[in-house]
């Protein structure tokens, strides 16, 4: 059974008790009345020149970046940081949050660090190359400094659209379910948008929530060998949007429930042979033409949505963190599935604590989790949420592999066999999040 633990609000890093303990001044703050939202943004490229070869990367196709959004209302601050990496370890997250706190004064509890989840990036951790880690830290510091200096009043707005770039990556092969691209499979084409506009209507920050892994170039090699670093679809989309609006606009790709969602065309595609063996076919550098096309296609939809957004009241401004308890299963991370199967024995073992963070900005809420939810779980949460705009973001404040839906476990998919969570945990987590959203909405306003 799911349950929430350590339920509390965090404002400037101070834990609060029940509503009855709130001061009149703070109650007015929560009400969303008579206060103004400010925002600042920053973007900085990660300079890796002179550090190649790095892992299996021999060079760079396009730069990785860090993007920082700083928000302030009534003296309280929040921050969102997006780093172009596959995932982030806890020790690196602590270091990044420390930099944010030093530069901007925002607390670790009020900061979320998101990986954009490109697979064409090196892995970084505190025991890795000091020069590589320093390159990312320098970029975070630079972007945070820009965010502080650009802090100004903004008007939020929300919008929604559709993009058909993504498909379900699970295919029903004769030997069992495996990775590929299934046009008939379940997918979530929804594009959610929050725009923070300056007094003259110029978008300062554009937040994009889309349930597709930014993985056009995943595992692709050059024709002569070696891989090229790339921010992939997340980077291509954000750069396209930023170039369209010009100086001062920073776009943030907040990857949604994309555990089973990939671009419908990839440079290196999976193949399942008749005997059940698997392979990949790589078109090498030609894949970057796909990347540019997809970045423009998703970017055009983002721009269409952003141009039609109407301003909304800023309203309530708060952060809530809690943990959900779900059943777990044994999964050795170093022994990932290598091909399709017709049967699999899930080894359920105890429970896991699943951290959840929620940022409420008026009638919008951003829900952040570590594991990669299946798309159907994100759609269900969004549909049942009482808020006008609900982002469900994965790869937030860490990574925890996959949290698939029940169908994935029944099909013995790659995600289900690669998950540290037991069958049914995804639906339990989704219902717990929906319950918490409804409770959050019912709090004094």
């Amino acid at each position: 059974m799911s349950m929430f633990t350590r339920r509390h609000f965090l404002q400037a890093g101070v834990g609060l008790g029940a509503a009855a303990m709130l001061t009149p001044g703070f109650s007015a703050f929560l009400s969303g009345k008579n206060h103004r939202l400010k925002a600042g943004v920053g973007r900085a490229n990660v300079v890796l020149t002179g550090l190649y070869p790095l892992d299996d990367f021999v060079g760079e196709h396009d730069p990785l970046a860090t993007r920082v959004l700083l928000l302030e209302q009534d003296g309280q601050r929040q921050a969102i940081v997006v780093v172009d990496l596959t995932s982030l370890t806890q020790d690196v997250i602590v270091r990044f949050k420390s930099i944010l706190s030093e530069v901007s004064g925002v607390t670790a509890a009020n900061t979320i660090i998101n990986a954009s989840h490109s697979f064409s990036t090196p892995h970084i951790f505190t025991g890795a190359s000091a020069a590589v880690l320093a390159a990312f830290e320098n970029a975070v510091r630079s972007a945070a400094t820009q965010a502080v200096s650009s802090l100004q009043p903004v008007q939020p707005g929300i919008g929604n659209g559709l993009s058909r770039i993504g498909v379900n990556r699970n295919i029903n092969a004769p030997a069992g379910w495996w990775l590929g691209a299934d046009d008939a499979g379940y997918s979530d084409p929804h594009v959610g948008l929050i725009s923070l506009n300056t007094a003259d209507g110029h978008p300062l920050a554009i937040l994009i929530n889309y349930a597709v892994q930014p993985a056009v170039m995943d595992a692709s090699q050059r024709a002569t060998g070696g891989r090229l670093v790339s921010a992939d679809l997340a980077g291509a989309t954000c750069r396209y949007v930023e170039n369209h609006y010009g100086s001062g606009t920073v776009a943030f790709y907040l990857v949604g429930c994309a555990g089973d969602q990939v671009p419908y065309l990839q440079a290196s595609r999976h193949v399942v042979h008749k005997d059940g063996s698997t392979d990949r076919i790589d078109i090498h550098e030609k894949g970057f033409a796909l990347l540019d096309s997809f970045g423009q296609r998703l970017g055009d939809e983002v721009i269409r949505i952003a141009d039609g957004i109407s301003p909304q009241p800023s309203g309530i401004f708060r952060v809530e963190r809690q943990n959900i308890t779900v059943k777990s299963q044994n999964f050795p991370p170093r022994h990932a599935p290598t091909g399709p199967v017709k049967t699999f024995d899930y080894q359920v073992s105890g429970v896991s604590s699943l951290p959840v963070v929620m940022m409420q900005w008026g009638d919008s809420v951003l829900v952040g989790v570590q594991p990669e939810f299946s798309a159907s779980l994100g759609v269900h949460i969004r549909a049942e949420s009482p808020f006008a705009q609900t982002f469900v973001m994965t790869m937030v404040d860490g990574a925890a592999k996959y949290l698939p839906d029940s169908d994935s476990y029944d099909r013995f998919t790659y995600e289900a066999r690669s998950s540290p969570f037991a069958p049914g945990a995804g639906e339990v987590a989704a219902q717990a999040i929906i319950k918490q959203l409804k409770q959050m909405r019912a709090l004094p306003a």
Side-chain angles (χ1 to χ4, degrees):
M1 180 178 181
S2 170
M3 65 177 181
F4 284 87
T5 58
R6 286 187 66 247
R7 185 177 181 277
H8 59 278
F9 290 107
L10 298 159
Q11 298 291 341
V14 179
L16 300 176
M21 299 174 62
L22 300 178
T23 65
F26 195 76
S27 295
F29 160 70
L30 286 183
S31 73
K33 299 174 182 176
N34 301 321
H35 56 252
R36 196 168 192 181
L37 180 66
K38 294 181 179 180
V41 293
R43 180 188 62 247
N45 289 342
V46 180
V47 180
L48 298 174
T49 306
L51 299 179
Y52 297 104
L54 184 59
D55 293 347
D56 56 348
F57 296 98
V58 297
E60 180 176 290
H61 175 269
D62 56 87
L64 305 182
T66 63
R67 292 172 167 87
V68 173
L69 170 63
L70 177 63
L71 295 156
E72 180 181 283
Q73 189 165 283
D74 287 1
Q76 311 300 322
R77 287 187 170 182
Q78 299 176 15
I80 295 177
V81 182
V82 180
V83 184
D84 286 330
L85 284 170
T86 307
S87 61
L88 289 156
T89 61
Q90 288 301 315
D91 51 356
V92 171
I93 289 170
V94 169
R95 294 174 72 120
F96 287 175
K97 287 191 176 186
S98 178
I99 292 171
L100 259 292
S101 179
E102 175 190 342
V103 174
S104 69
V106 67
T107 64
N110 279 8
T111 301
I112 62 172
I113 310 287
N114 299 37
S116 69
H117 205 37
S118 165
F119 290 85
S120 297
T121 70
H123 292 282
I124 67 166
F125 45 91
T126 54
S129 166
V132 175
L133 181 57
F136 280 90
E137 290 181 337
N138 291 340
V140 170
R141 184 177 298 277
S142 176
T145 301
Q146 295 170 39
V148 172
S149 65
S150 64
L151 199 64
Q152 60 189 288
V154 292
Q155 185 85 50
I158 61 175
N160 299 278
L162 296 173
S163 176
R164 302 289 180 180
I165 288 174
V167 295
N168 197 293
R169 71 174 186 168
N170 295 308
I171 61 171
N172 190 8
W177 288 84
W178 191 239
L179 300 172
D182 182 6
D183 289 328
Y186 188 94
S187 64
D188 178 16
H190 175 260
V191 181
L193 212 71
I194 297 176
S195 181
L196 301 174
N197 293 355
T198 60
D200 62 359
H202 185 77
L204 183 73
I206 295 179
L207 283 67
I208 307 160
N209 186 219
Y210 188 46
V212 171
Q213 293 181 9
V216 176
M217 300 305 297
D218 178 24
S220 181
Q221 301 265 338
R222 298 186 310 167
T224 56
R227 300 179 65 196
L228 294 177
V229 161
S230 172
D232 213 291
L233 180 61
T237 301
C238 289
R239 289 192 303 271
Y240 184 83
V241 172
E242 291 163 352
N243 289 337
H244 173 82
Y245 287 108
S247 177
T249 298
V250 177
F252 297 80
Y253 187 95
L254 304 172
V255 63
C257 297
D260 56 357
Q261 306 292 305
V262 293
Y264 67 85
L265 294 175
Q266 295 178 284
S268 175
R269 63 185 175 90
H270 292 272
V271 176
V272 182
H273 300 294
K274 291 182 179 180
D275 62 0
S277 62
T278 63
D279 202 352
R280 299 185 80 144
I281 296 176
D282 194 350
I283 61 173
H284 309 296
E285 290 93 332
K286 295 177 182 177
F288 287 111
L290 293 176
L291 176 57
D292 290 342
S293 177
F294 285 170
Q296 178 176 345
R297 181 171 170 182
L298 181 55
D300 281 337
E301 178 64 359
V302 168
I303 292 166
R304 185 195 68 79
I305 301 168
D307 286 348
I309 279 178
S310 298
Q312 304 286 327
S314 54
I316 296 172
F317 185 73
R318 61 187 168 201
V319 178
E320 183 180 350
R321 289 182 181 268
Q322 61 273 315
N323 290 289
I324 301 169
T325 300
V326 296
K327 290 183 179 180
S328 60
Q329 70 175 357
N330 291 327
F331 166 67
R334 297 186 180 278
H335 296 85
T338 57
V341 296
K342 287 290 189 179
T343 185
F344 187 78
D345 184 19
Y346 299 109
Q347 300 293 319
V348 179
S349 61
V351 296
S352 294
S353 182
L354 177 62
V356 180
V357 57
M358 297 182 182
M359 286 183 165
Q360 183 183 356
W361 308 338
D363 205 17
S364 299
V365 63
L366 289 75
V367 181
V369 295
Q370 294 178 347
E372 300 174 65
F373 282 28
S374 293
S376 63
L377 298 176
V379 170
H380 180 55
I381 293 169
R382 193 171 67 241
E384 296 297 321
S385 172
F387 290 88
Q389 182 72 296
T390 301
F391 280 11
V392 186
M393 310 173 298
T394 60
M395 310 301 296
V396 174
D397 280 349
K401 298 297 289 183
Y402 300 100
L403 185 52
D405 57 18
S406 292
D407 284 348
S408 295
Y409 287 96
D410 293 341
R411 294 168 173 175
F412 314 122
T413 65
Y414 176 89
E415 299 87 44
R417 288 184 284 145
S418 300
S419 175
F421 303 101
E427 284 74 14
V428 169
Q431 286 305 116
I433 290 171
I434 292 167
K435 179 180 179 181
Q436 187 58 25
L437 287 171
K438 291 179 178 179
Q439 291 175 350
M440 192 177 195
R441 187 62 166 163
L443 287 169

